[in-house]
Coordinates of all heavy atoms in Angstrom, one line a residue:
M1 N 10.2 3.0 -13.9 CA 11.1 3.5 -12.9 C 11.9 4.7 -13.5 O 13.0 4.5 -13.8 CB 12.0 2.4 -12.4 CG 12.9 2.9 -11.4 SD 14.5 2.1 -11.2 CE 14.4 0.7 -10.5
A2 N 11.3 5.8 -13.5 CA 12.0 7.1 -14.0 C 12.8 7.7 -12.9 O 12.2 7.8 -11.7 CB 11.0 8.1 -14.6
M3 N 14.0 8.0 -13.1 CA 14.8 8.7 -12.1 C 15.6 9.8 -12.8 O 15.9 9.8 -14.0 CB 15.8 7.7 -11.5 CG 15.4 6.6 -10.8 SD 16.7 5.5 -10.3 CE 15.9 4.6 -9.1
E4 N 15.8 10.9 -12.0 CA 16.6 12.0 -12.5 C 18.0 11.5 -12.7 O 18.6 10.9 -11.8 CB 16.6 13.2 -11.5 CG 15.3 13.9 -11.6 CD 15.1 14.7 -12.8 OE1 16.0 15.2 -13.4 OE2 13.9 14.7 -13.3
S5 N 18.6 11.7 -13.9 CA 20.0 11.2 -14.2 C 21.0 11.8 -13.3 O 22.0 11.3 -13.0 CB 20.3 11.4 -15.6 OG 20.4 12.8 -16.0
N6 N 20.8 13.1 -12.8 CA 21.8 13.7 -11.9 C 21.7 13.2 -10.5 O 22.5 13.7 -9.7 CB 21.7 15.2 -12.1 CG 20.4 15.8 -11.7 OD1 19.4 15.0 -11.4 ND2 20.2 17.1 -11.7
T7 N 20.8 12.4 -10.1 CA 20.6 12.0 -8.8 C 21.2 10.5 -8.6 O 21.2 10.0 -7.4 CB 19.2 12.0 -8.3 OG1 18.4 11.1 -9.1 CG2 18.6 13.4 -8.4
I8 N 21.7 9.9 -9.6 CA 22.1 8.5 -9.6 C 23.6 8.5 -9.6 O 24.3 9.1 -10.5 CB 21.5 7.7 -10.7 CG1 20.0 7.7 -10.7 CG2 22.0 6.3 -10.6 CD1 19.4 7.2 -11.9
D9 N 24.3 7.9 -8.6 CA 25.7 7.7 -8.6 C 26.1 6.8 -9.7 O 25.6 5.6 -9.7 CB 26.1 7.1 -7.2 CG 27.5 6.9 -7.1 OD1 28.4 7.7 -7.4 OD2 27.9 5.7 -6.7
P10 N 27.0 7.2 -10.6 CA 27.4 6.3 -11.7 C 28.1 5.0 -11.2 O 28.0 4.0 -11.8 CB 28.4 7.2 -12.5 CG 28.7 8.4 -11.7 CD 27.6 8.5 -10.6
C11 N 28.8 5.0 -10.1 CA 29.5 3.8 -9.6 C 28.4 2.8 -9.1 O 28.5 1.7 -9.4 CB 30.4 4.2 -8.4 SG 31.8 5.1 -8.9
A12 N 27.4 3.3 -8.4 CA 26.3 2.5 -7.9 C 25.5 1.9 -9.1 O 25.1 0.7 -9.1 CB 25.4 3.3 -7.0
A13 N 25.3 2.8 -10.1 CA 24.5 2.3 -11.3 C 25.4 1.2 -12.0 O 24.7 0.2 -12.5 CB 24.3 3.5 -12.2
T14 N 26.7 1.4 -12.1 CA 27.5 0.4 -12.8 C 27.4 -1.0 -12.0 O 27.2 -2.0 -12.7 CB 29.0 0.8 -12.8 OG1 29.0 2.1 -13.5 CG2 29.8 -0.2 -13.4
E15 N 27.4 -0.9 -10.7 CA 27.4 -2.2 -9.9 C 26.0 -2.8 -10.0 O 25.9 -4.0 -10.2 CB 27.8 -1.9 -8.5 CG 29.3 -1.7 -8.3 CD 30.1 -2.7 -9.0 OE1 29.9 -3.9 -8.7 OE2 31.0 -2.3 -9.8
R16 N 25.0 -2.0 -10.0 CA 23.6 -2.5 -10.1 C 23.4 -3.2 -11.5 O 22.9 -4.3 -11.6 CB 22.6 -1.4 -10.0 CG 21.2 -1.9 -10.0 CD 20.2 -0.9 -9.6 NE 18.9 -1.4 -9.6 CZ 17.8 -0.8 -9.3 NH1 17.9 0.4 -8.9 NH2 16.6 -1.4 -9.4
L17 N 23.9 -2.5 -12.6 CA 23.8 -3.2 -13.9 C 24.7 -4.5 -14.0 O 24.2 -5.4 -14.5 CB 24.3 -2.2 -14.9 CG 24.3 -2.7 -16.4 CD1 22.9 -3.1 -16.8 CD2 24.7 -1.6 -17.3
R18 N 25.9 -4.4 -13.4 CA 26.7 -5.6 -13.4 C 26.1 -6.8 -12.7 O 26.0 -7.9 -13.2 CB 28.1 -5.3 -12.8 CG 29.1 -6.5 -12.8 CD 30.4 -6.2 -12.1 NE 30.9 -4.9 -12.2 CZ 31.7 -4.4 -13.2 NH1 31.9 -5.2 -14.3 NH2 32.1 -3.2 -13.2
D19 N 25.4 -6.5 -11.6 CA 24.7 -7.5 -10.8 C 23.6 -8.1 -11.6 O 23.4 -9.3 -11.7 CB 24.2 -7.0 -9.4 CG 25.3 -6.7 -8.5 OD1 26.5 -7.2 -8.8 OD2 25.1 -6.0 -7.5
A20 N 22.8 -7.2 -12.2 CA 21.6 -7.7 -13.0 C 22.1 -8.5 -14.2 O 21.5 -9.6 -14.6 CB 20.9 -6.5 -13.5
L21 N 23.1 -8.1 -15.0 CA 23.7 -8.8 -16.1 C 24.2 -10.2 -15.6 O 24.0 -11.2 -16.3 CB 24.8 -8.0 -16.7 CG 24.3 -6.8 -17.6 CD1 25.5 -5.9 -17.9 CD2 23.5 -7.2 -18.8
T22 N 24.9 -10.2 -14.5 CA 25.4 -11.4 -13.9 C 24.3 -12.5 -13.6 O 24.3 -13.6 -14.0 CB 26.2 -11.2 -12.7 OG1 27.4 -10.4 -13.0 CG2 26.8 -12.5 -12.1
R23 N 23.2 -11.9 -13.0 CA 22.0 -12.8 -12.8 C 21.4 -13.3 -14.1 O 20.9 -14.4 -14.1 CB 21.0 -12.1 -12.0 CG 21.3 -11.9 -10.5 CD 20.1 -11.4 -9.7 NE 19.6 -10.1 -10.2 CZ 20.1 -8.9 -9.9 NH1 21.1 -8.8 -9.1 NH2 19.5 -7.8 -10.4
A24 N 21.5 -12.5 -15.2 CA 21.0 -13.0 -16.5 C 22.1 -13.9 -17.2 O 21.8 -14.3 -18.4 CB 20.7 -11.8 -17.3
G25 N 23.3 -14.1 -16.7 CA 24.2 -14.9 -17.3 C 24.9 -14.1 -18.4 O 25.5 -14.7 -19.3
I26 N 25.0 -12.8 -18.3 CA 25.7 -12.0 -19.3 C 26.8 -11.2 -18.7 O 26.7 -10.6 -17.7 CB 24.7 -11.0 -19.9 CG1 23.5 -11.8 -20.6 CG2 25.3 -10.0 -20.9 CD1 22.3 -11.0 -21.1
V27 N 27.9 -11.2 -19.4 CA 29.1 -10.5 -18.9 C 29.6 -9.5 -19.9 O 29.8 -9.7 -21.1 CB 30.3 -11.5 -18.6 CG1 31.5 -10.7 -18.1 CG2 29.9 -12.5 -17.5
F28 N 29.7 -8.2 -19.5 CA 30.3 -7.1 -20.3 C 31.6 -6.9 -19.7 O 31.8 -6.2 -18.7 CB 29.5 -5.8 -20.1 CG 28.2 -5.7 -21.0 CD1 27.5 -6.8 -21.4 CD2 27.8 -4.5 -21.4 CE1 26.4 -6.7 -22.1 CE2 26.6 -4.3 -22.1 CZ 26.0 -5.5 -22.5
P29 N 32.7 -7.4 -20.3 CA 34.0 -7.3 -19.7 C 34.5 -5.9 -19.5 O 35.3 -5.6 -18.6 CB 34.9 -8.0 -20.8 CG 34.0 -8.9 -21.6 CD 32.7 -8.2 -21.6
S30 N 34.0 -4.9 -20.4 CA 34.5 -3.5 -20.3 C 33.5 -2.7 -19.5 O 33.7 -1.5 -19.5 CB 34.7 -3.0 -21.7 OG 35.6 -3.7 -22.3
L31 N 32.5 -3.2 -18.8 CA 31.5 -2.4 -18.1 C 32.3 -1.7 -17.0 O 33.0 -2.3 -16.2 CB 30.5 -3.3 -17.5 CG 29.4 -2.6 -16.6 CD1 28.6 -1.7 -17.5 CD2 28.5 -3.7 -16.0
G32 N 32.1 -0.4 -16.9 CA 32.7 0.4 -15.8 C 32.2 1.8 -15.8 O 31.5 2.3 -16.7
T33 N 32.6 2.5 -14.8 CA 32.2 4.0 -14.7 C 33.3 4.7 -15.5 O 34.5 4.4 -15.5 CB 32.4 4.4 -13.2 OG1 31.5 3.5 -12.4 CG2 31.9 5.8 -13.0
D34 N 32.7 5.7 -16.2 CA 33.6 6.5 -17.1 C 34.0 7.7 -16.2 O 33.4 8.8 -16.1 CB 32.8 7.0 -18.3 CG 33.7 7.8 -19.2 OD1 34.8 8.1 -19.0 OD2 33.1 8.2 -20.3
Y35 N 35.2 7.5 -15.6 CA 35.7 8.6 -14.7 C 36.2 9.8 -15.4 O 36.4 10.8 -14.8 CB 36.8 8.0 -13.8 CG 36.3 7.0 -12.8 CD1 36.5 5.6 -13.0 CD2 35.6 7.3 -11.7 CE1 36.0 4.7 -12.1 CE2 35.0 6.4 -10.8 CZ 35.3 5.1 -11.1 OH 34.8 4.2 -10.2
G36 N 36.4 9.7 -16.8 CA 36.9 10.8 -17.5 C 35.8 11.7 -18.0 O 36.1 12.8 -18.5
S37 N 34.6 11.4 -17.7 CA 33.5 12.2 -18.2 C 33.0 13.0 -17.0 O 32.8 12.5 -15.9 CB 32.4 11.3 -18.6 OG 31.2 12.0 -18.8
S38 N 32.7 14.3 -17.3 CA 32.0 15.2 -16.3 C 30.5 14.9 -16.2 O 29.9 15.4 -15.4 CB 32.3 16.6 -16.7 OG 31.7 16.9 -17.9
L39 N 30.0 14.0 -17.1 CA 28.6 13.8 -17.1 C 28.2 12.6 -16.2 O 27.0 12.3 -16.1 CB 28.2 13.4 -18.6 CG 28.4 14.5 -19.6 CD1 28.0 14.0 -21.0 CD2 27.6 15.8 -19.2
G40 N 29.2 11.9 -15.7 CA 28.9 10.8 -14.8 C 28.3 9.6 -15.6 O 27.2 9.0 -15.2
L41 N 29.0 9.2 -16.6 CA 28.5 8.2 -17.5 C 28.9 6.7 -17.1 O 29.9 6.6 -16.5 CB 28.9 8.4 -19.0 CG 28.5 9.7 -19.6 CD1 29.2 9.9 -21.0 CD2 27.0 9.8 -19.6
V42 N 28.2 5.8 -17.5 CA 28.5 4.3 -17.4 C 29.0 3.9 -18.7 O 28.2 4.0 -19.7 CB 27.3 3.5 -16.8 CG1 27.7 2.0 -16.8 CG2 26.9 4.0 -15.4
N43 N 30.1 3.3 -18.8 CA 30.7 2.8 -20.1 C 30.3 1.3 -20.2 O 30.8 0.5 -19.4 CB 32.2 3.0 -20.1 CG 32.8 2.6 -21.4 OD1 32.1 2.1 -22.3 ND2 34.1 2.7 -21.5
L44 N 29.5 1.0 -21.2 CA 29.1 -0.4 -21.4 C 30.1 -1.2 -22.1 O 30.2 -2.4 -22.0 CB 27.8 -0.5 -22.2 CG 26.6 0.1 -21.5 CD1 25.3 0.1 -22.5 CD2 26.3 -0.5 -20.2
G45 N 31.0 -0.6 -22.8 CA 32.2 -1.2 -23.4 C 31.8 -2.1 -24.7 O 30.7 -2.0 -25.2
R46 N 32.7 -2.9 -25.0 CA 32.6 -3.7 -26.2 C 32.2 -5.2 -25.8 O 32.7 -5.7 -24.7 CB 33.8 -3.8 -27.0 CG 34.2 -2.3 -27.4 CD 35.4 -2.2 -28.2 NE 36.4 -3.2 -27.8 CZ 37.6 -3.2 -28.3 NH1 37.9 -2.3 -29.2 NH2 38.5 -4.0 -27.9
V47 N 31.4 -5.9 -26.5 CA 31.1 -7.3 -26.3 C 31.1 -8.1 -27.5 O 30.9 -7.5 -28.7 CB 29.6 -7.4 -25.7 CG1 29.5 -6.7 -24.3 CG2 28.5 -6.9 -26.6
H48 N 31.2 -9.4 -27.4 CA 31.2 -10.3 -28.5 C 29.7 -10.3 -29.1 O 28.8 -10.1 -28.3 CB 31.6 -11.7 -28.2 CG 33.1 -11.8 -27.9 ND1 33.5 -12.7 -27.0 CD2 34.1 -11.2 -28.4 CE1 34.8 -12.6 -27.0 NE2 35.2 -11.8 -27.8
P49 N 29.6 -10.6 -30.4 CA 28.2 -10.6 -30.9 C 27.3 -11.6 -30.2 O 26.1 -11.3 -30.1 CB 28.5 -11.1 -32.4 CG 29.9 -10.7 -32.7 CD 30.6 -10.8 -31.4
D50 N 27.8 -12.7 -29.7 CA 26.9 -13.7 -29.0 C 26.4 -13.1 -27.7 O 25.2 -13.3 -27.3 CB 27.6 -15.0 -28.7 CG 28.7 -14.9 -27.7 OD1 29.6 -14.0 -27.9 OD2 28.8 -15.7 -26.8
V51 N 27.2 -12.2 -27.1 CA 26.7 -11.5 -25.8 C 25.6 -10.5 -26.2 O 24.6 -10.4 -25.5 CB 27.9 -10.8 -25.1 CG1 27.4 -10.0 -24.0 CG2 28.9 -11.9 -24.6
A52 N 25.9 -9.8 -27.3 CA 24.8 -8.8 -27.7 C 23.5 -9.5 -28.0 O 22.4 -9.0 -27.7 CB 25.3 -8.1 -29.0
V53 N 23.5 -10.7 -28.7 CA 22.3 -11.4 -29.0 C 21.7 -11.9 -27.8 O 20.4 -11.8 -27.6 CB 22.6 -12.6 -30.1 CG1 21.4 -13.4 -30.2 CG2 23.0 -12.0 -31.4
R54 N 22.4 -12.4 -26.8 CA 21.9 -12.9 -25.6 C 21.2 -11.8 -24.8 O 20.1 -11.9 -24.2 CB 22.9 -13.6 -24.7 CG 23.3 -15.0 -25.3 CD 24.0 -15.9 -24.3 NE 24.7 -15.3 -23.1 CZ 26.0 -15.1 -23.1 NH1 26.8 -15.4 -24.1 NH2 26.6 -14.6 -22.0
L55 N 21.9 -10.6 -24.8 CA 21.2 -9.4 -24.2 C 19.9 -9.1 -24.8 O 19.0 -8.8 -24.1 CB 22.2 -8.3 -24.1 CG 21.7 -7.0 -23.5 CD1 21.3 -7.2 -22.1 CD2 22.8 -5.9 -23.6
A56 N 19.9 -9.0 -26.1 CA 18.7 -8.6 -26.9 C 17.6 -9.6 -26.5 O 16.4 -9.2 -26.3 CB 19.0 -8.6 -28.4
L57 N 17.9 -10.9 -26.5 CA 16.9 -11.9 -26.1 C 16.3 -11.7 -24.8 O 15.1 -11.8 -24.5 CB 17.5 -13.3 -26.3 CG 17.8 -13.7 -27.7 CD1 18.6 -15.1 -27.7 CD2 16.5 -13.9 -28.6
R58 N 17.2 -11.4 -23.8 CA 16.8 -11.2 -22.4 C 15.9 -9.9 -22.3 O 14.9 -10.0 -21.6 CB 17.9 -11.0 -21.5 CG 18.7 -12.3 -21.2 CD 17.9 -13.2 -20.3 NE 18.8 -14.3 -20.0 CZ 18.5 -15.1 -19.0 NH1 17.6 -14.9 -18.2 NH2 19.3 -16.2 -18.8
L59 N 16.3 -8.9 -23.1 CA 15.5 -7.7 -23.0 C 14.1 -7.9 -23.7 O 13.1 -7.4 -23.2 CB 16.2 -6.6 -23.8 CG 17.5 -6.0 -23.0 CD1 18.2 -5.1 -23.9 CD2 17.0 -5.3 -21.7
D60 N 14.1 -8.6 -24.8 CA 12.9 -9.0 -25.5 C 11.9 -9.8 -24.6 O 10.8 -9.6 -24.5 CB 13.1 -9.7 -26.7 CG 13.6 -8.9 -27.8 OD1 13.5 -7.7 -27.8 OD2 14.2 -9.5 -28.9
K61 N 12.6 -10.7 -23.8 CA 11.8 -11.6 -22.9 C 11.2 -10.8 -21.8 O 10.0 -10.9 -21.5 CB 12.6 -12.7 -22.4 CG 11.9 -13.7 -21.6 CD 12.8 -14.8 -21.0 CE 13.3 -15.6 -22.1 NZ 14.1 -16.8 -21.6
G62 N 12.0 -9.8 -21.3 CA 11.5 -9.0 -20.2 C 10.4 -8.0 -20.7 O 9.4 -7.7 -20.0
H63 N 10.5 -7.6 -21.9 CA 9.6 -6.6 -22.5 C 8.3 -7.3 -22.8 O 7.2 -6.6 -22.6 CB 10.2 -6.0 -23.9 CG 9.3 -5.1 -24.5 ND1 8.9 -3.9 -24.0 CD2 8.7 -5.2 -25.7 CE1 8.1 -3.3 -24.8 NE2 7.9 -4.0 -25.9
D64 N 8.3 -8.5 -23.1 CA 7.1 -9.3 -23.5 C 6.3 -9.7 -22.2 O 5.2 -10.1 -22.3 CB 7.4 -10.5 -24.3 CG 7.9 -10.1 -25.7 OD1 7.6 -9.0 -26.1 OD2 8.6 -10.9 -26.3
A65 N 7.0 -9.7 -21.1 CA 6.4 -10.2 -19.8 C 5.3 -9.3 -19.3 O 5.2 -8.2 -19.6 CB 7.5 -10.4 -18.7

């Protein structure tokens, strides 16, 4: 699913990612839109090591499917 980065609303992207992470049982407490950036970035923030490992496992599982 390739999309042009300049056509995606960063707020919508943030909410879509938050929803997907929630369904996977993963919470990024600092996930948010970076309003200070002129690039329209999504700030993933900081997470505990256990969250990083759970995310990696989920990504690996999806990649192997």
